[in-house]
């Protein structure tokens, strides 16, 4: 599809849901810094930015579990890592909060896309697995907050993506419907949540998809920049 309008011919979508990390914002540098600080304080070797990029997408708790295990596929956790997890998560939260999004950068094309959608009367929400306490500050820090009517974070409901419930919750709050709402994300969690919800989905190639290609996951459109949707 060459544009979002093409997904909703003959008009633009009534609502658009956006993932945050890896879709709107490159937050991996801050996440990696917090992970490495946590690992160092636990007497372990830093993971580094490249590894952390491949571990983002399922929320902070899973990110910390992956960091403790040193790999994406952390399950089942070792008894030692399982015992360490609560303290490790606390250290990570403190370190990430202190960074306050200072190294986060909005991806090219994001502002252009959001401006265009806003001008066409599209209501927008962020649907992310990021803990609620970090979502609002990051949106403010990056200048994205004015575009969104609400956000659904990783703690807003009892479940996270790839469960479809966060998408359906945001859609309901925006007063939209399945056929007039689109999910835009960068990972299998986003695409699978949209598919389970029966909702059109756009995937971006530049984000964090656990190091795998996103092209074959079943999204309605796959793009290299959000400007391709205009």
């Amino acid at each position: 599809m060459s544009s979002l309008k093409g997904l909703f011919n003959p008009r633009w979508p009534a609502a658009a849901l956006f993932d945050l990390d890896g879709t709107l914002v490159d937050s991996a540098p801050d996440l990696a810094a917090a992970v490495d600080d946590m690992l160092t304080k636990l007497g372990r070797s830093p993971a580094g930015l490249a590894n952390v990029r491949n571990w983002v997408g399922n929320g902070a708790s899973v990110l910390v579990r992956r960091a403790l295990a040193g790999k994406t596929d952390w399950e089942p956790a070792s008894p030692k890592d399982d015992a360490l997890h609560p303290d490790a998560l606390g250290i990570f939260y403190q370190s990430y909060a202190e960074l306050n999004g200072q190294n986060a950068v909005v991806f090219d094309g994001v502002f252009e896309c959001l401006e265009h959608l806003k001008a066409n009367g599209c209501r927008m929400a962020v649907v992310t697995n990021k803990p609620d306490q970090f979502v609002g500050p990051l949106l403010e820090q990056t200048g994205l907050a004015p575009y969104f009517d609400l956000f659904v974070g990783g703690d807003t409901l009892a479940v996270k993506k790839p469960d479809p419930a966060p998408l359906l919750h945001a859609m309901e709050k925006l007063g939209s419907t399945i056929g007039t709402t689109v999910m835009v994300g960068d990972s299998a969690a986003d695409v699978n949540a949209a598919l389970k919800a029966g909702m059109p989905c756009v995937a971006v190639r530049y984000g964090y998809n656990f190091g795998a290609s996103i092209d074959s996951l079943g999204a309605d459109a796959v793009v290299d920049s959000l400007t391709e949707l205009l």
Side-chain angles (χ1 to χ4, degrees), residues 126-144:
V126 167
V127 182
T128 174
N129 284 342
K130 197 179 201 71
D132 288 20
Q133 71 187 84
F134 300 122
V135 181
L138 183 57
L139 291 174
E140 292 289 347
Q141 171 75 14
T142 54
L144 293 169

Side-chain angles (χ1 to χ4, degrees), residues 60-174:
S61 180
V62 173
L63 172 60
V64 168
R65 287 199 177 278
R66 286 170 172 155
L68 291 174
K71 56 185 180 179
T72 303
D73 184 15
W74 60 271
E75 296 180 286
S78 72
K80 183 177 181 180
D81 287 349
D82 207 36
L84 270 177
H85 183 260
D87 288 341
L89 187 60
I91 295 170
F92 171 82
Y93 277 169
Q94 181 177 353
S95 180
Y96 188 67
E98 289 172 355
L99 287 164
N100 195 33
Q102 65 186 25
N103 298 308
V105 177
V106 177
F107 287 110
D108 290 342
V110 168
F111 282 115
E112 293 90 335
C113 180
L114 298 182
E115 284 283 356
H116 200 90
L117 288 174
K118 184 177 180 180
N120 279 273
C122 180
R123 299 191 72 193
M124 292 178 279
V126 167
V127 182
T128 174
N129 284 342
K130 197 179 201 71
D132 288 20
Q133 71 187 84
F134 300 122
V135 181
L138 183 57
L139 291 174
E140 292 289 347
Q141 171 75 14
T142 54
L144 293 169
Y147 294 97
F148 296 100
D149 293 288
L150 70 132
F151 71 78
V152 179
D155 311 315
T156 303
L157 304 179
V159 293
K160 302 178 178 70
K161 299 176 296 182
D163 193 289
L167 280 63
L168 297 173
H169 177 77
M171 180 192 74
E172 181 181 344
K173 291 292 184 181
L174 292 177

